[in-house]
Each structure stands twice: as C-alpha cells, then as structure tokens.
C-alpha cells in the first residue's frame, strides 16, 4: 500500500508496522489458546508425540553433543588462561560448570534448536499448508491443530530441556578432559571445587527453568509461524527465517529477564 | 443437498450473491464457471471451512453453518473431497494416505484396515503402488490416490475440485471414468467443480454455470450444449469475447493513449 | 519395525537427558544432603565474619561436615552470631571444639573450619562454641603492617 513519501510517509509506515506487530502478537497468543484443547493428544496419541520428539530432539542431538563438547573445551582453555593469573586455576571446574549450567547450556541449546529444529518445524507446517494438506485433513474431519501442530509443539517443548542438560553435561565432561590431560589440573580438585560452588536449587534448577521456558517459546513461535505462513513458497521461506530470528531474539531477551530475576533471588 | 440464497464476501469483494443450487442425490453434478468465480470457495462453503455472510448450505438436511464443531466434523466424515493438488500427506506412503481417515476415525483391527485400503486402491488401479510416496507419483496417479482416500470412509458425497486440471489425456480419461463408475457403483452424490467443458458434459448429469456470484445457467449436459443463451454459448464454445468481456473495464482507449 | 526404531531412539534420548540432569544434580552440584532433621545446630560468635555467607561449608580437617545456616548480630555484644548446621553423622564433636573463619585460597570463598578439642562431652543441638577466631581481614593486616613499618 502506498503511504506517501517524505516524513509523513515514514511515520505512517512506522505506525503501520507497529500495529502489525501488535496484531501479530495477539494472533500468536490466540493461536496458543486455540491449541490448548489439543493437549489430550499427549495421552490419546502419544506415538505422534514420540515421532516428533525423534524429529526435533534426537536429530538435534548430534549438533548439541558436538557444540557442547567444543564449548566446554573452549571454556576450559579460556578460563584457565584467566584464572591462572590469580593462581586460582583450582576453580576452573566451578567456572566451567556455572557458566554452562546457568547460561551457556540453556541459551546455546535454545539457539541451536531454533536454527535446526524450530525452522524445520515451521517449514514443514508451512509446506503442509501450502500444499493443501492441512485443508485436506480438515475436510477429512481431522483437526490439523491436534494432529499436526500439537504433537510438534509438545515434542519441541520437551526436547529443549533434555538437550540443554545434555549440552551442559557434555560440556563439563569435555572441560574435565582438557583440564586434566592438557592443562595438568588435578581431577579431584576440579570436581570438588565444582560441587562446593554449584547449588542444585539455585544454579541447576535455574538452568532447567530457563530451558523449559525457551523450549515453550521456540516451539510456540515455530508452529505459529508455520501455521500463519502465507501458503506460497516465498511465504514459507519468509516464515522460516522469521522463526529463527524471532525465537533467537526471544531467547536472549527472556534470558536477560530471567537472569535478572534469579540473581536477585526471586 | 441444497444452497439457498448464499452470499459470501472476501475483503468486501462479492463472491456470491443470492446463489441457489440444488444437488440431487446419487447424481454427478458439475459446477462450471470461469476462473475466479468462486467454484472452490463454494466447495469450502459446503464443507464448512468458510462461513457464508447470508443464506446457507444444507447437506442432508443439516445447515452446515449452524453446526457445532463436533457436528461439522461428523458431517465431514460423510463427505469426501479430492483437492486439485491431491493434498496427499507427503510423509506417508500411498497405503498410509488411504488408511489415514480409517486410522483417525475408526478403531478397526489392522487386517481389516489393510483389506479396506487395498480394495480402494484396487478400485483406482493403484494397488501395486501402495509402497510409493507421494513425491514418486505422477499428477494423475496422485489424484487417483487422493480419490481412493476420499472414498475410504464410503462417504455419501464426494466433491472434486478441478479433477481434470493439468492432466494428460489418458489420465484425464481415467479420472473421468473413475468419477462416473464410483458414483454409480457406490451410490454416492458427486459434485465436480471444473472449467473443462468437454469432460464435464461427458460425465455430468446436471450442470450449473456460475458467473458474477450467481447461477447463470443450468440444465442437463445435452440442454446446456444446445442452449442459445449467449453466456452459455460463450463458455461452452470457448469464445474469447461475449457477455464476459475480453477487456477488463478501462477508460476510453484513445483518450488513454493521447492523454499521457 | 520402523516405528520401533524411532521409539527406541527417543527412549534413549530421554534417558540420556535424564542421565545428564542426574549428573548435573549429583556430580556437579551439591545435593542438599542436610535436609530438615538431618542436622543439629550449634552457634558460634565471631568478632567479625568477613564475607562469610549463609550456606558456606563447615569443614573439619578439610572434610565438609555441614553448612552455615544463619548469620545474625547479637545486639548486646555486637558480635556476629553464626548458626552452624552440622550433619547428624558427626555427633561426637567435643564441647571444647574451636571454630575459625578461613579462606579457600587467596581470593576464594570463606568457610568455617572446626578444630576438635579433647573433652569427653560432645556438642548437642543448641550448644555454643566458645573458642572462635574471626575472619582475617587482609586489608587490615596490610594496613597494620604498613603502620608498624612506619613506626620504626
């Protein structure tokens, strides 16, 4: 639509985009509400959820394992380099574990998940819409929200916390290997320092809470963008991009908010 | 099935205004019209995927727009629909696609499902293709699978959205034969939406010609072919100019050219 | 067949995830082993607790036997009152045990170290440790050192 040129045009466009954004948020919210009656699919058609956990969780496992190992090793090297200046290299285990469990594990896993599984989810649902598969289901008296969208949403939500835990665990193990074999630290000190400094209730539960929230938000964005996509190939590719961009931004933004709350002991 | 005084608007653009149709049980009815007169929209209104602005569709005595979601889904189980794109589920094999409605709506034991699916596939001549995936099928085969799926629950009514579009002559002949045979053998009501004159005349018992949101003409295929009404003659004969003008409404040509 | 492989893979995945969580909880973090009723409390007063925090470890001979439960202030003596929650397993600490606040490494966290005495009577819930040594304030020591040097 032509909004005219000059400053007035810009202001109009800006206003229009803002309104569009708010409307989009509202649509996403309503979509989530429309999704909730499909929740029993978890019990009635559990195999559908299992199948989607395979697609979004198991197939993302490789990239999570590899990234987790590398991040752990990098943390060990960088952390050692800094700590050794204060003769505090015995705290390396603590540093690595806290970084992974509280921040890097949940956040990096969420970002990887958005790029690998979230985008695939959007593309799949968008393509099913573009090729009339969803309409076909509706005409076969099958609710695509229950049959297609809900299993993917639930599977994504469940997968992220599990992947994040695996990411952190692998990262810590990789850091341990580097610390002991390469940096010559004592393995016992590595673990004992970690254990005395990492609290299960604050640090580990905090990380789990974060990854549960990230899983919910990414899966929500991914299925919404797919379902809301214009049913054309451009529409689907646009939606896929949007899933990665908005879920990454949402993850980082929410991480900041949750970290702020957690560090203030709320 | 009947349509009474149906009106529908999309973004304030009129699609239908006071449309009246009656479709007889057990017959093949063709709904024809140029591109963009809302033939597919009509099927969506019949299937309850869209809600009319006024008037309504009644299927088997039930007003579609007034049904609750559950009642609508129950009604849809008795309707089959063949989409133009076939709308096969791409992650399922041919067999599973045809089995899909059975698995979703019944709790039949596996051997029975297998038998039913193979029977439907045999009807469309694709029993041997059961393990293929939709991506491996030609357009004609995909449509036949779609047809097998549309009739897998033995519906009372099947809707065909452009079943002849984009097919080679042989596949077209196969589909034509199938629509007619299935209609007669299973005692279903068939609604065929198409702009393909020859095929429609060939299989339809009754033809409605739509234009400008209403029924322009109706009659048996013989009557339609013999009709003298200019709208019918233009459409049936494929004439470039007539009541449906060749030119999109525009200002005076000469003035337009000289004006710039 | 095919569905079985998928189910098996998903089962393994969920197991791996739970295992990772268990490892984080047990091996990486310190599971709160001092649940309610699992410990007894004694108090100790210090002139200065430095940067000692609640939940800091209580060690004896380098072994963790409990944690700091609460840090308060006695408003008569203006001393810090520290409640030590000690695991019930270690119920034979002599009454003349002394407590001191030490630092792990040069810049590490502060913790309470117990030194057992020789008495035959043992500390019970609610008892008070009499002999204590406050946290060493590094900056105070340095400034004292500087003043004494200046005095020479």
């Amino acid at each position: 639509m032509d909004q005219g040129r000059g400053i007035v045009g810009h202001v109009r466009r800006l206003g229009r985009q803002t309104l569009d954004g708010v409307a989009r948020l509202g649509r996403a919210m309503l979509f989530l509400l429309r999704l909730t009656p499909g929740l029993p699919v978890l019990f009635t058609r559990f195999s559908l959820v299992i199948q989607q956990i395979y697609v979004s969780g198991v197939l993302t496992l490789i990239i999570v394992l590899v990234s987790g190992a590398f991040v752990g090793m990098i943390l060990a090297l960088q952390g050692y380099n800094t700590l050794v200046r204060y003769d505090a290299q015995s705290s390396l285990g603590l540093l690595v574990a806290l970084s992974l469990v509280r921040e890097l594990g949940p956040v990096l896993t969420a970002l990887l998940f958005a790029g690998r599984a979230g985008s695939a989810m959007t593309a799949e649902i968008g393509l099913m819409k573009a090729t009339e598969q969803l309409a076909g289901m509706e005409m076969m008296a099958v609710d695509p929200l229950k049959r297609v969208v809900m299993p993917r949403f639930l599977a994504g939500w469940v997968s992220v916390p599990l992947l994040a835990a695996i990411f952190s665990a692998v990262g810590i193990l990789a850091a341990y290997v580097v610390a002991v074999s390469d940096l010559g630290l004592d393995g016992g000190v590595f673990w004992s320092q970690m254990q005395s400094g990492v609290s299960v209730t604050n640090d580990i539960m905090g990380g789990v809470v974060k990854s549960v929230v990230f899983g919910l938000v990414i899966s929500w964005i991914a299925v919404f963008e797919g379902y809301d996509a214009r049913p054309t190939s451009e529409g689907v590719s646009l939606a896929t991009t949007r899933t990665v961009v908005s879920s990454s931004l949402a993850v980082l933004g929410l991480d900041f908010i949750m970290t702020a709350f957690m560090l203030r002991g709320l | 099935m009947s349509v009474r005084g149906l009106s529908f608007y999309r973004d304030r653009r009129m699609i239908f205004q006071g449309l009246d149709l009656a479709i007889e049980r057990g017959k093949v009815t063709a709904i024809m019209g140029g591109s963009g007169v809302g033939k597919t929209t009509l099927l969506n209104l019949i299937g309850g995927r869209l809600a009319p602005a006024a008037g309504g569709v009644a299927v088997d005595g039930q007003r579609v727009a007034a049904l609750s979601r559950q009642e609508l889904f129950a009604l849809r189980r008795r309707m089959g629909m063949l989409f133009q794109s076939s709308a096969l589920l791409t992650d399922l094999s041919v067999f599973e696609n045809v089995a899909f409605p059975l698995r979703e709506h019944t709790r039949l034991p596996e051997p029975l499902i297998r038998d039913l699916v193979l029977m439907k596939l045999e009807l469309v001549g694709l029993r041997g293709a059961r393990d293929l995936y939709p991506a491996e099928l030609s357009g004609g085969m995909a449509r036949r699978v779609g047809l097998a799926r549309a009739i897998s629950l033995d519906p009372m009514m099947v809707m065909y959205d452009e079943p002849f579009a984009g097919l080679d002559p042989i596949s077209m002949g196969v589909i034509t034969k199938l629509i007619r045979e299935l209609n007669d053998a299973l005692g279903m009501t068939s609604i065929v939406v198409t702009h393909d004159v020859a095929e429609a005349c060939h299989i339809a018992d009754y033809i409605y010609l739509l234009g400008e949101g209403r029924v322009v003409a109706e009659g048996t295929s013989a009557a339609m072919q013999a009709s003298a009404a200019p709208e019918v003659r233009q459409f049936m004969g494929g004439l470039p100019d007539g009541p449906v003008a060749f030119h999109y409404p525009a200002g005076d040509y000469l003035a337009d050219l000289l004006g710039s | 067949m095919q569905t079985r492989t998928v189910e098996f893979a998903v089962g393994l995945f969920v197991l791996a995830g739970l295992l990772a969580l268990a490892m984080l909880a047990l091996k990486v973090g310190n599971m709160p082993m001092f649940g309610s009723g699992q410990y007894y409390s004694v108090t100790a007063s210090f002139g200065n607790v430095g940067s000692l925090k609640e939940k800091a470890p209580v060690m004896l001979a380098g072994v963790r036997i409990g944690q700091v439960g609460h840090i308060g202030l006695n408003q008569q003596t203006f001393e810090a009152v520290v409640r030590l929650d000690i695991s019930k397993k270690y119920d034979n600490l002599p009454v003349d045990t002394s407590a001191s606040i030490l630092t792990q490494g040069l810049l590490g966290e502060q913790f309470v170290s117990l030194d057992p005495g020789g008495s035959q009577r043992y500390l019970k819930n609610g008892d008070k440790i009499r002999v204590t040594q406050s946290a060493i304030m590094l900056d105070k020591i340095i400034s004292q050192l500087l003043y004494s040097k200046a005095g020479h």
Side-chain angles (χ1 to χ4, degrees):
Chain A
M1 233 178 276
D2 186 27
Q3 257 112 23
R5 287 189 210 148
I7 293 177
V8 178
H10 279 298
V11 171
R12 273 194 195 153
R13 258 189 295 280
L14 194 69
R16 182 164 199 89
Q17 279 165 7
T18 313
L19 291 182
D20 281 352
V22 173
R24 199 169 176 71
L25 187 65
R27 221 164 45 243
M29 207 63 222
L30 290 174
F31 179 74
L32 193 64
L33 288 179
R34 276 173 62 201
L35 214 52
T36 41
L39 205 61
V41 82
L42 190 58
F43 309 106
T44 54
R45 298 293 297 276
F46 192 58
S47 63
L48 288 177
V49 183
I50 297 267
Q51 227 162 29
Q52 292 308 320
I53 293 182
Y54 181 79
V55 174
S56 60
V58 177
L59 296 183
T60 316
L61 197 54
I62 298 289
I63 187 173
V64 162
L65 286 175
V66 173
S67 319
F70 274 115
V71 169
M73 293 192 285
I74 293 164
L75 275 178
L77 291 176
Q78 290 282 16
Y80 180 81
N81 217 356
T82 308
L83 289 175
V84 82
R85 293 182 206 176
Y86 305 100
D87 200 22
Q89 61 268 44
S90 60
S91 298
L92 184 62
L94 179 63
L95 174 88
V96 169
L98 281 183
S99 317
L100 276 171
V101 167
R102 285 212 308 221
E103 277 307 317
L104 296 176
V107 171
L108 289 181
T109 307
L111 295 179
L112 289 171
F113 185 85
R116 168 72 180 72
S119 59
M121 237 187 257
T122 304
E124 203 188 3
I125 295 176
L127 271 177
M128 289 183 86
K129 188 180 182 191
T131 55
E132 292 188 308
Q133 292 184 51
L134 297 184
M137 275 192 192
E138 266 182 42
M139 287 308 295
M140 285 187 279
V142 174
D143 187 350
L145 286 181
K146 285 183 190 160
R147 179 63 175 70
V148 174
V149 174
M150 196 64 190
R152 284 167 175 74
F153 174 70
L154 287 176
W157 192 3
V158 171
S159 294
V160 172
L162 292 173
L163 288 170
I166 293 173
F167 187 102
S168 299
V170 168
I172 290 168
L173 288 176
Y176 170 79
V177 171
V178 168
V180 172
S181 71
D182 204 42
L183 304 174
L185 291 184
D186 180 61
V189 172
F190 185 89
W191 289 116
S192 68
Q193 279 281 322
M194 200 188 298
Q195 281 173 13
S196 64
V198 178
S199 129
V200 172
T201 45
N202 288 337
D203 302 325
I204 294 179
M205 282 317 290
V208 171
V209 167
K210 275 185 182 178
S211 58
V212 167
V213 172
F214 294 159
L216 169 75
V217 169
I218 296 172
S219 310
W220 174 23
I221 291 177
V223 294
F224 170 70
E225 289 290 356
Y227 200 79
D228 198 56
R230 270 186 298 118
T232 58
S233 25
E234 305 91 67
V236 173
S237 74
L238 194 71
T240 311
T241 313
R242 249 202 316 241
T243 292
V244 176
V245 173
S246 15
S247 47
S248 302
L249 288 179
V251 162
L252 294 172
L254 283 171
D255 185 47
F256 174 73
I257 294 171
M258 283 192 285
T259 307
F261 270 121
M262 282 171 189
L263 290 185
R264 284 180 196 155
L266 206 105
Chain B
M1 196 211 92
S2 65
V3 175
R4 284 279 159 266
L6 182 72
S7 296
F8 183 75
Y9 302 87
R10 178 166 285 161
D11 297 337
R12 268 177 267 150
R13 198 162 62 86
M14 183 268 286
I15 308 282
F16 296 125
Q17 184 131 46
L19 184 72
D20 289 306
L21 289 175
I23 286 161
E24 245 182 287
R25 198 180 289 269
K27 293 277 169 61
V28 178
T29 306
I31 294 170
M32 305 180 63
S35 306
V37 297
K39 301 188 296 290
T40 306
T41 309
L42 179 60
L43 291 188
N44 281 331
L45 284 161
I46 295 173
R49 292 190 58 224
L50 297 174
V57 180
V59 177
D60 201 22
Q62 293 175 286
R63 279 177 51 87
V64 174
L67 295 178
S68 73
R69 197 168 170 76
Q70 252 128 18
E71 290 166 328
L72 183 63
F73 270 36
L75 179 64
R76 281 186 190 163
R77 272 178 227 183
R78 297 161 59 208
M79 294 185 195
M81 177 150 175
L82 177 62
F83 283 82
Q84 190 174 349
S85 64
S86 305
L88 297 179
L89 302 171
T90 41
D91 55 338
L92 298 179
S93 67
V94 165
F95 182 94
E96 286 301 322
N97 259 290
V98 180
F100 183 81
L102 294 168
R103 291 199 198 286
E104 291 293 325
H105 293 308
T106 67
R107 295 210 175 276
L108 297 176
E110 190 57 33
L112 192 55
I113 288 188
R114 195 185 121 88
D115 290 352
L116 282 171
V117 170
L118 292 184
M119 279 162 63
K120 303 297 177 195
L121 281 175
E122 176 72 19
L123 275 178
V124 298
L126 289 177
R127 189 164 49 84
R130 71 185 98 159
D131 293 327
L132 296 183
Y133 278 81
E136 303 169 288
L137 301 175
S138 70
M141 284 162 84
R143 221 163 273 176
R144 277 148 78 187
V145 175
L147 185 50
R149 186 178 69 178
I151 59 171
S152 67
L153 285 173
D154 289 320
M156 57 167 184
M157 178 175 108
V158 178
M159 296 183 274
Y160 302 88
D161 188 4
E162 301 283 5
F164 313 117
L167 291 186
D168 62 85
I170 303 174
S171 305
M172 194 140 45
V174 171
I175 293 284
T176 317
K177 179 170 135 339
L178 280 173
I179 293 176
R180 188 74 241 182
E181 279 181 359
L182 290 175
N183 188 78
D184 298 344
L186 303 178
M188 303 180 310
T189 307
S190 305
I191 303 172
V192 182
V193 156
T194 182
H195 49 233
D196 202 309
V197 176
E199 305 300 328
C201 289
H202 185 59
I203 58 165
D205 297 308
Y206 204 81
I207 297 177
Y208 284 96
L209 181 61
L210 301 189
E212 298 182 1
R214 62 195 170 81
V215 175
V216 175
E218 59 179 291
T220 61
S221 49
M224 289 294 273
Q225 276 166 307
S227 170
E231 292 92 347
V232 182
R233 295 244 333 262
Q234 189 196 1
F235 191 81
M236 303 299 267
L239 308 176
D241 210 352
V244 178
F246 169 70
H247 290 291
Y248 192 83
D252 184 60
Y253 186 39
L254 200 61
D256 215 0
L257 282 180
L258 296 177
S260 64
Chain C
M1 347 141 289
Q2 224 243 317
T3 31
R4 246 194 96 63
T5 354
V6 168
E7 281 169 6
F8 186 69
V10 171
L12 276 186
F13 167 62
V14 174
L15 267 183
L18 294 179
L19 214 72
L21 265 181
M23 174 193 144
L24 292 183
L26 297 174
K27 190 109 175 108
V28 174
N30 47 342
M31 206 55 178
M33 46 185 176
F34 309 106
S36 56
Q38 297 300 300
Y39 59 84
Y40 66 100
S41 303
V42 298
T43 54
S45 299
F46 294 94
N48 192 330
V49 291
S51 61
L52 186 74
K53 292 190 185 68
E54 292 177 8
K55 291 205 174 115
V58 176
M59 316 269 249
L60 195 153
V63 177
R64 189 186 166 114
I65 60 166
Q67 62 182 5
V68 172
H70 179 255
I71 300 175
L73 184 68
N74 181 332
Q75 285 179 315
Q76 265 80 55
T77 61
F78 297 106
E79 277 183 326
V81 180
V82 176
R83 198 186 81 220
L84 308 176
D85 297 338
I86 297 168
S87 169
K88 278 239 168 91
K89 268 196 292 187
Y90 310 106
D91 57 355
N92 58 344
L93 302 180
V95 285
D96 54 350
T97 295
S98 65
S100 39
I101 295 174
L102 301 179
T103 309
Q104 285 174 333
L106 192 58
L107 298 167
E109 265 191 86
Q110 291 194 303
F111 66 100
V112 177
S113 175
L114 299 184
D115 256 317
S119 170
Q120 292 299 310
R121 290 190 302 119
Y122 302 133
L123 282 172
K124 305 185 305 294
N125 194 28
D127 279 0
K128 191 171 173 2
I129 292 178
R130 304 207 179 273
V131 191
T132 63
Q133 191 195 345
S134 291
I136 298 165
M137 307 299 285
L138 212 56
D139 44 356
K140 247 186 201 169
I141 293 174
I142 291 170
S143 61
Q144 274 171 3
L145 206 68
L146 288 177
Y147 279 123
S148 63
K149 276 269 195 285
H152 273 286

